[in-house]
Amino acid sequence: VKAKYPEEMKQFVAGVAPGAQLPALEGDVGMTLKVPWSVFNALSVQLTPVWDMTVDYSFANTSSITSYDVLISSTTSSSLEDTTVVKGTRDRHRAGVRVRRTFAEGKGIGALHGRFENNTIDEMANVPNTADFHKIEIGAGGQWRLSSRMRISAFFTHYIFLDRVIEQSLHQPNTIAALAAYNHPDPTGRYSAGADKLTVMVGLDY
């Protein structure tokens, strides 16, 4: 792992001690990570010759990795120390539904889909760089076969992130060594986000 000095520190050192060189910040890291188990289920039903529907649900046991330790085995500077990364995760649940229709004797396909996914970072462990939301996806798309070997597809998805208000958090400025992993600016407040995705693909069959 390598770390960089803040630009402000470099400018300060250059001002007070011209020509001085800051020591490199790098070292070897040892980490033990648990891989959460997950389950995925889906069911597709042919409603009519041209209509079909698929529902799916997935579960990931992310609550099993609430934190992990980063152990520095060797380093060029004592500034790189062992640390604990606190995740504070809950289990991940995803549920979705897709409705699809074929037309023009199978040359074209149109589809609508929706999906819900819960947030996994609990309020007490929430910080800006790990902020998580309940998410809703709503999308539509289609595919058209140009020839027996070529097809073009386009899909649009709108993501709705439900606003989240953080009123309390373990993360706050402190000088207690045992709480160093939580020593961050106060992250309380309202968190909002939003996104859209457009995907266009050209497929070739051989």
Side-chain angles (χ1 to χ4, degrees), residues 112-182:
L112 298 172
H113 78 271
R115 181 176 299 280
F116 172 81
E117 180 178 314
N118 71 305
N119 74 65
T120 62
I121 307 297
D122 59 50
E123 181 177 13
M124 295 298 289
N126 192 85
V127 290
N129 65 326
T130 62
D132 200 5
F133 305 84
H134 290 316
K135 295 176 282 291
I136 300 173
E137 300 178 24
I138 301 174
Q143 176 180 289
W144 182 260
R145 182 166 290 280
L146 301 174
S147 69
S148 60
R149 294 186 177 275
M150 180 178 291
R151 63 188 185 280
I152 185 169
S153 307
F155 301 92
F156 175 80
T157 302
H158 175 62
Y159 296 88
I160 301 171
F161 297 86
L162 304 184
D163 285 3
R164 190 169 185 191
V165 177
I166 303 301
E167 297 180 341
Q168 56 184 341
S169 176
L170 292 172
H171 296 271
Q172 53 187 296
N174 69 76
T175 58
I176 304 173
L179 298 177
Y182 301 97

Side-chain angles (χ1 to χ4, degrees), residues 33-49:
L33 294 178
K34 294 181 179 179
V35 178
W37 59 271
S38 60
V39 176
F40 176 81
N41 293 283
L43 173 66
S44 182
V45 179
Q46 191 73 42
L47 302 174
T48 72

